[in-house]
């Protein structure tokens, strides 16, 4: 008998996102007598897995490869031993999406934060001045993951002026093309119902820096104080890490939420497509440049620079676009020998052109 939609809806794991597709993927492991389950928390070589038989504490020794992007993480669907002491996660199903960042700007490793995510909720606190560059960075990673981003302007009650709040929303909308920007106040309930409706349709990951109000938002969606909330310093709006691990929680209104620790650093990891999505207006303008490899620096016939000149494109956007592309190129080059060679050739060529231009200038002076 095939696994019908009706069977999927009534399956014990349905509240955690189990569907016909996962059932089909798991079929070979079911034949081996393994049990499907969703990973709700990972720590110290073990993980908590929710299964049809109840929660299970399992060892991850069989899925701890040298590649840090292939370790098991919160949101994965695992194949677990039905019994034994200890029980093991033998493998996990291929991920539909994965949210990855670089561990450090000085290292060439990626860190997977969450798997099989449908919505990436980027929490931004209105208690402090908006950092548009940081929002663009989060958005690039979110788009690259395969999830649909959503920017939540948390603590909206701190901006009681309706006009002022609308301007802040517009500022964020200018750096988030194709993304919903939603003011939310856990204190007054503003926007919580809209957010709950969005996250009810799948798995969502809650992202942001410490003090952004993620745990308060999680509690509002859960309808109870499941996540601890720390006081925020008045001087800079920062807080301690309320959440120290990534936790997957089923929501009462439907959907699943993964709450993450506050991220101090948000390094890109092979996110060129994500950057392009965030700065889609620049990439569209670039199609009108005279040269197909235009760097939008000083080339004649550059449509991007023309947009800067006429004021239709803010210069800050172009600077941010360049910065993120350079950073992403450096990260990719650390693991791609061919790209490193191309970058080196490019540097040498530009250096030679610069020296030739300087020599020509000196010749004219003489």
């Amino acid at each position: 008998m095939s696994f019908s939609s009706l069977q999927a809806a009534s399956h014990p794991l349905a509240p955690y996102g189990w569907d016909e597709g996962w059932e089909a993927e798991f079929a070979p492991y079911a034949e081996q007598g393994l049990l499907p389950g969703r990973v709700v928390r990972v720590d110290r070589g073990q993980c908590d897995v929710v299964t049809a038989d109840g929660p299970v504490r399992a060892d991850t020794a069989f899925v701890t490869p040298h590649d840090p992007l292939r370790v098991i993480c919160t949101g994965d669907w695992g194949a677990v031993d039905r019994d034994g002491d200890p029980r093991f996660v033998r493998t996990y199903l291929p991920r539909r999406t994965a949210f990855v960042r670089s561990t450090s700007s000085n290292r060439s490793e990626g860190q997977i934060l969450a798997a099989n995510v449908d919505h990436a909720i980027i929490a931004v606190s209105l208690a402090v001045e908006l950092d548009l560059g940081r929002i663009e960075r989060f958005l690039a990673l979110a788009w690259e993951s395969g999830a649909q981003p959503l920017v939540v302007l948390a603590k909206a009650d701190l901006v009681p002026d309706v006009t002022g709040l609308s301007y802040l929303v517009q500022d964020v909308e200018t750096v988030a093309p194709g993304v919903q920007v939603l003011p939310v106040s856990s204190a007054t309930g503003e926007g919580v119902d809209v957010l709950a409706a969005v996250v009810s349709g799948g798995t969502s990951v809650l992202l942001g820096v410490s003090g952004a109000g993620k745990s308060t938002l999680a509690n509002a969606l859960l309808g109870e104080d499941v996540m601890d909330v720390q006081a925020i310093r008045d001087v800079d709006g920062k807080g301690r890490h309320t959440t120290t691990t990534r936790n997957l929680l089923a929501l009462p209104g439907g959907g699943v939420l993964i709450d993450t620790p506050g991220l101090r650093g948000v390094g890109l990891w092979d996110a060129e497509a994500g950057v392009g999505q965030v700065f889609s207006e620049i990439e569209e303008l670039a199609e009108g440049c005279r040269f197909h490899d235009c760097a939008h620096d000083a080339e004649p016939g550059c449509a991007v620079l023309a947009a800067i000149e006429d004021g239709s494109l803010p210069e800050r956007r172009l600077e941010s676009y360049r910065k993120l592309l350079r950073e992403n190129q450096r990260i990719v080059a650390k693991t791609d020998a061919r790209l490193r060679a191309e970058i080196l050739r490019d540097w040498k060529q530009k250096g030679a052109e610069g020296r030739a231009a300087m020599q020509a200038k000196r010749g004219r002076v003489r």
Side-chain angles (χ1 to χ4, degrees):
M1 180 186 294
S2 65
F3 190 78
S4 68
S5 299
L6 181 61
Q7 287 174 302
S10 61
H11 193 278
L13 291 177
Y16 290 89
W18 189 254
D19 58 26
E20 296 176 73
W22 292 123
E23 178 75 9
E25 289 277 3
F26 193 79
Y29 304 107
E31 293 177 358
Q32 299 173 29
L34 297 174
L35 190 67
R38 192 151 199 199
V39 178
V40 299
R41 177 187 171 101
V42 179
D43 63 278
R44 299 178 182 177
Q46 292 188 313
C47 62
D48 295 328
V49 185
V50 60
T51 73
D53 294 345
V56 170
R57 183 73 170 169
D59 196 296
T60 65
F62 284 92
V63 280
T64 52
H66 295 298
D67 184 352
L69 295 181
R70 298 181 64 187
V71 299
I72 198 160
C73 76
T74 304
D76 274 325
W77 284 99
V80 186
D81 292 332
R82 286 189 177 272
D83 50 35
D85 185 20
R87 295 169 75 168
F88 290 93
V89 178
R90 298 292 171 172
T91 188
Y92 60 82
L93 300 183
R95 294 162 178 159
R96 293 178 181 175
T97 63
F99 194 97
V100 180
R101 67 164 179 173
S102 64
T103 53
S104 167
S105 59
N106 297 319
R107 296 170 62 187
S108 58
E109 291 182 349
Q111 178 189 22
I112 183 163
L113 298 179
N116 302 312
V117 172
D118 301 295
H119 308 286
I121 304 171
I122 301 165
V124 179
S125 173
L126 291 180
V128 294
E129 185 176 353
L130 289 176
D131 186 338
L132 298 179
R134 178 180 288 155
I135 294 172
E136 289 165 339
R137 181 179 292 272
F138 270 111
L139 286 168
L141 290 175
W143 281 121
E144 190 69 32
S145 76
Q148 170 65 46
L150 166 67
V151 178
V152 169
L153 300 182
K155 307 178 185 181
D157 54 289
L158 298 181
V159 187
D161 178 54
V162 176
T163 302
L165 181 60
S166 68
Y167 286 147
L168 291 173
V169 171
Q170 290 174 18
D171 286 344
V172 177
E173 287 176 339
T174 61
V175 304
V179 176
Q180 182 179 5
V181 180
L182 180 65
V184 173
S185 169
S186 301
T188 66
E190 176 188 358
V192 173
D193 56 340
V194 179
L195 180 58
V198 172
V199 301
S200 66
T203 298
S204 302
V205 63
L206 193 51
L207 305 159
V209 298
S210 298
K214 298 188 304 301
S215 293
T216 304
L217 283 172
N219 285 335
L221 292 170
L222 290 161
E224 54 184 319
D225 292 341
V226 173
M227 311 303 295
D228 291 332
V229 178
Q230 301 281 2
I232 306 302
R233 297 196 300 249
D234 291 335
V235 64
D236 56 9
K238 295 181 179 179
R240 290 174 291 172
H241 289 303
T242 297
T243 305
T244 56
T245 58
R246 287 172 283 280
N247 302 283
L248 184 147
L249 305 160
L251 298 172
V256 176
L257 181 68
I258 299 175
D259 192 18
T260 65
L263 302 176
R264 290 191 179 93
V266 193
L268 300 184
W269 178 259
D270 197 7
E272 183 176 356
V275 173
Q277 188 80 28
V278 177
F279 298 92
S280 57
E281 82 278 28
I282 295 178
E283 301 222 328
E284 289 174 6
L285 285 167
E287 294 178 1
C289 292
R290 181 182 301 177
F291 303 107
H292 75 278
D293 58 348
C294 183
H296 321 307
D297 187 14
E299 295 89 343
C302 176
V304 175
L305 294 180
I308 295 288
E309 288 293 326
D310 66 26
S312 59
L313 177 67
E315 189 170 358
R316 190 208 66 80
R317 283 284 279 173
L318 180 57
E319 292 175 354
S320 184
Y321 175 65
R322 287 169 171 163
K323 178 181 178 181
L324 292 183
L325 281 182
R326 286 196 301 268
E327 177 184 327
N328 188 71
Q329 188 179 52
R330 285 196 300 270
I331 289 294
V332 174
K334 289 179 180 179
T335 57
D336 189 330
R338 180 187 57 79
L339 182 59
R340 284 199 302 272
E342 288 179 359
I343 293 173
L344 183 59
R345 284 197 300 271
D346 185 53
W347 285 347
K348 288 182 176 179
Q349 180 180 349
K350 288 182 177 179
E353 290 173 351
R355 288 190 295 272
M358 183 61 69
Q359 290 173 357
K361 183 176 180 180
R362 288 173 179 169
R364 288 195 298 271
V365 171
R366 292 174 186 169

